[in-house]
Amino acid sequence: MPGRVSTRSSSTSQATHIVSSQNLSTRRTAASSRIEIPDEGPSTSLRTRICEIFKDAQRSSAGHRKLATSLRKVQEACCYEIPHAQGKVQEKFEEDDFNLEVARCVIRLLCVKKSESVGDRIVHFLGTFLRRASEKDIALLPEEQVEEKQTLPETPSTRLTAHILSILLPLLDSKEKVVRFRATQLVAQVINSLDSIEDEYYQLIRTGLLKRMRDKEPTIRVQAVLGLGRLAGNETEEDQEEPASDDDDTSSLLRKLLEVLQNDSSTDVRRSLLLNLPLTPTTLPFLLERARDVDPAIRRALYSRLLPALGDFRHLSLSMREKLLRWGLRDRDETVRKATGRLFSQRWIEDCAASATAGESKPTAEDIFPNLDGLLELLERIDVVNSATGSGIATEAMREFWSERQDYRHAFIFDDAFWDRLTPESVFVARSFNDFCKEETGTFELLAEEKMPEVTKLAFFLQRYTNDLVNRMRYNNAMTESEEQEDTVEKEFIVEQLLHIAKALDYTDEIGRRKMFSLLRETLAIEELPEEITRLVVDVLSGVCGSEAAGEREFCGIVLEAIAEVHDNVAPDEPLADNDDGSFHSARSELSDSTPTKARSGGSATAAKDDNSEMVEAKAVREIMINIKCLHIAQCMLENVEGSLQQNIHLVTTLNNLVVPAVRSHEAPIRERGLLCLGLCCLLDKALADENLTLFLHCFTKGHDALQVSALHILCDIFTTHSNLLTAETADPALHRSLYRVFSRGLKAAHAPEVQSAATTALCKLMLTSVVEDEDLLKQLVTLFFDPATKDNAAVIQALSYFLPVFCHSKRENMEKMAAVAAAVVHTHVNLADELEEGEEVVSATTVANMLLDWTDTRKLVAQDVAVVTYNGARDTEVKGTNGDVHLTLAETLLERAMTYGCPKEERKTLVNMVGKICIISNSSREKLQTVTDLATEAMDAKIATDTTTRNALNKIHQALCNALGEADSVGRSAQGPNANETVAGHRLGTEDISDVEGTLLKLEEKRTVTPGQDALVDELLLDENEDL
């Protein structure tokens, strides 16, 4: 099809988007924020045809391709000479006429609001047409011209695009947000519809969209980043490596987009960037970082759209895989957790299964699923040895996997060959499958019984792998330091997983129970057994013996025998104890006693002395290790016992012969482990706990950080179990004072975050259970919540953000305590803000006041004071309204503090503004209403409000109090009449006033405020075993 000679120059332009400064300045000068409608002239058949096409395009998106084809035919009729044309267009039109008519329709679109869907349809239609027209124009060009590199030939489509952009780009700076939005949307659509664009417009588009990326309207910023995301992929590596600059024309576009991705306040902007930025090694860390975004929609988009489209997950690092799984499976939002589960159980397993079956021919779907080798590789890729223990994520990931993949559940066969060749990955598959089936009910339990081995067979497998582990550990211990030792981590992991399986088995089979019982009894007495395996052995042994009293006594007796056997290894040929401390004696003191005090003369004497010292020191270290091992076994036993201490002779023996001597030991590691065991014993006996409270308080006062944390945990557990030690009438007041001093000191331990978080968590638990009811400690907790010094202590912030609203909204008494300390909290917070250094930030006093008002709002009580309307047998209505005495008590406290001499101006302003926001309910106590009204009148007379805002707040609350007091008086008078059938807070009320009361309650409910929730992740407390008392 021959091309018509154009009135414009047919030159080509380079595709390196380089633009001269003269051209750029000319464009900027011509910019205008107004929409100038060109002179349309008389109507033509071309205009009618194009308008009909655009009219049909705005009705539905279904026919856009057909309409784009029709518009393309009109364009070809105007731009090309079509042979054998049958005169469908009666008049002859030029290319400029066609461009003018299309631009005329585009201009009409700029004033269409975002809420009108027809505008979006026209924008999408224009993009579809430009893409189709560009493809058709390229197909009509000669092959020699198409194959030229770095050139962009001029075609009717490129000229139409340039004409449209010349109209839209000046309007990006319009003052009207609707015009800016549509102009930005059209420019972004044009960019995403074309493969290339002229250089002279590239820099103009880039500069204009960068400005709109900082627009105050989020919808405009969304369209800007959609266009810039396409441009960012065209930047060369040299451009990205340039240093950052404030100049939009020279600074890296990709760097700016990544900054917006991290810091933009709009969810839609961040989500658009997440899904449209190019996937490169530079952008990938920033994209994966959105797994911690505050908006669940963005987190869900990452797991459901970005990561599945990323390709093979094995390109990610091991730490990033583990983080993505942990963040996703433990997300607060259920949809994010489900998306992560589908990613792991479908997309990631598909990558591993495909590579496991890859051969000469491409594997089919039937060859890929289910595939045991692929699942084993998947577990290896997430480092199951480390991620399946402690707080690892592998257990949760496999739970989601078994829940999603029914084909894998039924395809796996755990036969003898499987158990004979166990690896860390395969044994974890069996353990996770068994746990999943046991947690579910019905068919899954039957499936576990069908596939898992019986108790006797599992005991033999456990014995085999345990013996293998112990032999390897003994072999390593016998080797010298110069010889290379074999790693036993994988063998330990296999034994641990087998014990987890044994823990969930049913021991009704007596033969299997006896076999497992004897095996565990022998295993527990092995000195070289790691602590985690020892703990699991004790747990399984507790389940085998049973939870009844007789079973507990048998269990304690067996564990005590194992402890005796382990302790025999200290000195097999000598008595177990040779001092006054019973089973324990100080290895360090023995070392010092055995060392000669005088140096002997001669080389042989010195050598003998050194050899003797080394032997004694090695024996002392071995004795400490054996004693710690015995205490660890005892600790595991005490954690599995629930019966009375005095009624179990084995527990009494353990306490007297093992725990008490350990507490009296001179060795810090033994003493600290003994303290933990003593704390567990105190949970089983109230009298023992009462006797040793002073000891635990002393450990906190004199101990190091790790010991203080342990002491706080023990004290919290003791008072939670034996709450009457503090709440009883016979409780010692000195004990209260000592305990409160301990918690107060712990809350102030900003230098030790672990101690501060332990004290906060313990005190929150005790206050929630009403064991501790001290208002001064409550004040310290609230002050600590707003203290900027604790902003980096996530454990403290998490605990308090949960505790404070739950504590106040659970009981009216707790609200009254919060109201009593509110004024003191505001006073402390204002003083703290004044003492801050320059650059430090603190929560505003207004935020503190609003949260205190929310915590003392009786309308939010969970268990009581809910507005209810009921009917008795006589069809009389009874209205039970919320009692607002708590807010009145708060107002009384705040006004008294505000009228105190010496109250700072800033504090007084905050207090008065708080009073202006309290909830006044007419059915509150009349005495309270009168008291607060008198205080408000006195405050107005004293003129404590010095500015307009506080004066208005004080006048407003005074008027509300007077109105409520008048309503209370009218209710009291109507209560004396014979027709008063309804009650509100103890006053009789006529039937005609019921609607007024209901309306008042409804208005109060509408005024309810919501405090934004705060959350953070609570880290585990780390104990420092190396520090001494």
Side-chain angles (χ1 to χ4, degrees), residues 91-253:
E91 305 178 36
K92 293 297 183 179
F93 297 98
E94 298 294 333
E95 177 184 344
D96 291 340
D97 299 328
F98 176 82
N99 294 347
L100 184 64
E101 294 299 332
V102 173
R104 175 179 171 274
C105 296
V106 172
I107 292 176
R108 297 300 191 281
L109 175 64
L110 294 174
C111 295
V112 180
K113 294 183 179 180
K114 180 182 182 297
S115 57
E116 298 291 340
S117 59
V118 294
D120 296 334
R121 296 193 190 108
I122 293 298
V123 172
H124 295 157
F125 168 70
L126 182 64
T128 302
F129 167 70
L130 290 177
R131 179 168 54 253
R132 188 174 184 84
S134 178
E135 294 173 356
K136 291 286 186 179
D137 287 338
I138 295 297
L140 294 176
L141 292 175
E143 295 183 0
E144 296 80 6
Q145 189 174 357
V146 175
E147 293 177 356
E148 291 183 12
K149 298 182 180 180
Q150 300 293 332
T151 59
L152 178 63
E154 249 190 37
T155 63
S157 298
T158 60
R159 290 190 287 270
L160 174 61
T161 302
H163 182 59
I164 294 175
L165 290 176
S166 65
I167 297 174
L168 295 177
L169 289 176
L171 298 175
L172 292 177
D173 297 328
S174 173
K175 295 181 179 180
E176 297 292 333
K177 64 179 181 180
V178 176
V179 177
R180 293 201 312 274
F181 168 73
R182 288 299 179 188
T184 309
Q185 184 184 28
L186 284 166
V187 172
Q189 187 69 30
V190 169
I191 294 174
N192 287 281
S193 301
L194 302 178
D195 294 331
S196 57
I197 197 168
E198 293 183 6
D199 292 337
E200 59 178 330
Y201 287 103
Y202 179 87
Q203 289 294 342
L204 291 174
I205 293 173
R206 185 179 185 272
T207 303
L209 291 183
L210 281 173
K211 291 181 180 179
R212 292 309 100 217
M213 190 174 66
R214 305 296 183 183
D215 198 281
K216 63 181 180 179
E217 296 294 331
T219 55
I220 299 176
R221 299 202 301 271
V222 169
Q223 300 302 324
V225 299
L226 287 176
L228 292 172
R230 179 68 184 276
L231 297 181
N234 296 329
E235 287 200 343
T236 60
E237 294 183 2
E238 291 79 5
D239 294 334
Q240 296 180 18
E241 292 175 357
E242 291 179 359
S245 173
D246 295 334
D247 187 0
D248 290 341
D249 296 330
T250 58
S251 181
S252 171
L253 173 61

Side-chain angles (χ1 to χ4, degrees), residues 33 41 104 373 376 410 422 486 618 682 757 915 1011 1019:
S33 61
R104 175 179 171 274
D373 294 335
L376 297 181
H410 294 283
L422 285 180
E486 182 179 349
C682 291
S757 61
V915 173
T1011 302
D1019 298 328

